[in-house]
Amino acid sequence: MTINPSFPIDATALLTGLSHAAMRQVMLHQAQEHELRVVEDSESAVSIEVPSFGQYRFEPAEGGIHIRISAALPDRLFMLKDSFSETLSQLLPEAAKDLRWSDSATLPNRPPNLHFTRVVSVTPVGTAFLRVRIQADDLSSFQDDAIHFRLLLPAPDCTEPEWPSLAENGATVWPKGEKALHRPAYTTRWIDREAGLLDFDVFLHDGGRVTNWVRGASIGDLLVIAGPGGGGIPESSKICIFADETAFPAVARILEALPANSTGQVTLIAAQGADCGYPIAAPAGVTLTWLTREEAQDVPRQALAAHRECPDHFLWLASEKSDVTPVREALKADKRAPGTSYIAAYWSKP
């Protein structure tokens, strides 16, 4: 077996009418797209690991494919199943409808990664951010391996919001139409799990739905979030970072978690440069460079140049989509090993 013993929780399912060969190609493509480690690849089994979260395993079975998903925590297991169901729905909608997991009878009627929280405080940070503190009953799943989550915001004029539920196949069913939720991703900036407190920072920009929400938020307001998810803190003491304001909270969280002997460089891009006043500190061996948007010319070229100069450093880039795409494509062409970079588009120009 190739199931990681660190992933003790599992669920299984049988997909009928599908060939192992076809599913093998689909999952290997997914692994390449998302830079996941292929643990096993043969005619008898394919195993793919999602770092810290869990593992997918596919084996041929009579009349179809046997799937086993294992995970470290119950909410991680749910997220892996949900992700697989979403992928299957896009490729084979009918097969996705028939999907049933072995643990379906024990599932709640809402996604287990849903958290109903209350606003505790909203305070300014620098010139362009507001820090929101929320409180929830249980934040034990928010660990360093997944530092992001999603806000679930109803339309501003919605007085009776609907929250996601679970379908029979274990997939999340999201409200649609007038009840559709805005689901932007944010970073856990600070957390006290015992007290159930969590801070996240909102970059303010005119016209943004979260900006409008946070400017009108009051102590005691309900805020529903889904998570955790997304990337975690890199396990490296050598790092190259490029980020604009939308990624400053993640950068600050990463830098404060680095070992004291870490080395590398961080390039931070803001409308006001360092005058934005967002607090970011780094170990002595990590150089911080602040740039205004006018000074930040050709971010993809700078990021790839840093990668070529320091190929043993973890490359971390989060910015607008047009900055991210060329870097992601170049790293794929270089066949960089999974787990040595994090390249993410945090927003897109209209």
Side-chain angles (χ1 to χ4, degrees):
M1 289 293 288
T2 58
I3 296 296
N4 190 322
S6 300
F7 306 139
I9 306 168
D10 64 38
T12 60
L14 178 66
L15 274 179
T16 59
L18 297 178
S19 74
H20 175 67
M23 184 57 68
R24 174 185 176 190
Q25 292 306 312
V26 168
M27 297 313 298
L28 290 177
H29 175 74
Q30 290 291 312
Q32 183 181 30
E33 282 293 304
H34 299 287
E35 297 185 5
L36 304 177
R37 186 168 75 94
V38 178
V39 180
E40 181 180 352
D41 176 23
S42 69
E43 294 182 0
S44 60
V46 174
S47 296
I48 296 169
E49 186 168 314
V50 181
S52 300
F53 268 57
Q55 189 175 109
Y56 296 100
R57 182 177 174 85
F58 303 85
E59 298 174 318
E62 185 175 351
I65 303 165
H66 181 264
I67 309 166
R68 179 178 178 183
I69 299 180
S70 57
L73 296 166
D75 67 316
R76 305 292 205 271
L77 181 65
F78 162 73
M79 285 183 276
L80 291 176
K81 291 191 299 180
D82 193 39
S83 178
F84 176 74
S85 296
E86 184 177 352
T87 299
L88 194 63
S89 295
Q90 294 170 357
L91 299 173
L92 299 164
E94 292 305 315
K97 290 179 183 178
D98 294 336
L99 182 65
R100 296 293 183 272
W101 297 100
S102 58
D103 63 346
S104 59
T106 63
L107 291 176
N109 60 358
R110 293 202 184 278
N113 65 337
L114 210 64
H115 304 270
F116 290 80
T117 80
R118 294 287 175 180
V119 174
V120 174
S121 62
V122 179
T123 54
V125 177
T127 63
F129 288 83
L130 287 177
R131 176 162 293 168
V132 183
R133 176 164 292 181
I134 56 177
Q135 186 161 34
D137 290 336
D138 183 7
L139 296 176
S140 59
S141 61
F142 284 71
Q143 302 292 328
D144 287 349
D145 60 358
I147 63 173
H148 305 290
F149 62 92
R150 291 189 180 275
L151 309 185
L152 306 186
L153 296 180
D157 58 351
C158 180
T159 57
E160 296 183 359
E162 290 183 7
W163 307 113
S165 59
L166 285 181
E168 288 187 74
N169 64 358
T172 301
V173 180
W174 293 99
K176 297 180 180 179
E178 295 180 353
K179 299 288 188 176
L181 301 168
H182 184 46
R183 296 181 277 161
Y186 277 80
T187 300
T188 302
R189 182 63 193 87
W190 169 87
I191 189 168
D192 182 336
R193 296 177 188 87
E194 290 187 5
L197 295 172
L198 180 152
D199 286 357
F200 65 95
D201 295 342
V202 176
F203 171 54
L204 303 173
H205 59 286
D206 291 338
R209 284 184 61 175
V210 180
T211 295
N212 294 338
W213 169 81
V214 75
R215 283 175 169 160
S218 300
I219 294 173
D221 282 357
L222 172 70
L223 176 64
V224 181
I225 65 174
I233 295 173
E235 296 181 359
S236 175
S237 61
K238 298 179 179 181
I239 196 159
C240 288
I241 293 177
F242 293 81
D244 67 10
E245 292 108 326
T246 60
F248 284 2
V251 173
R253 176 86 185 271
I254 290 168
L255 291 180
E256 69 187 17
L258 287 178
N261 64 346
S262 295
T263 59
Q265 56 178 295
V266 178
T267 300
L268 302 169
I269 303 160
Q272 300 170 285
D275 291 339
C276 74
Y278 190 84
I280 294 182
V286 178
T287 303
L288 285 180
T289 301
W290 289 86
L291 300 175
T292 64
R293 291 206 180 89
E294 291 73 21
E295 294 169 335
Q297 298 298 319
D298 200 349
V299 172
R301 180 187 59 79
Q302 292 183 44
L304 290 171
H307 165 55
R308 287 190 291 270
E309 183 178 343
C310 304
D312 59 339
H313 284 47
F314 189 100
L315 180 61
W316 198 99
L317 166 65
S319 182
E320 199 276 328
K321 185 177 180 180
S322 62
D323 288 337
V324 169
T325 302
V327 177
R328 182 181 287 132
E329 291 176 349
L331 293 184
K332 283 184 180 178
D334 288 348
K335 296 183 178 180
R336 188 175 173 92
T340 57
S341 65
Y342 173 86
I343 313 296
Y346 276 19
W347 63 285
S348 320
K349 293 177 182 177

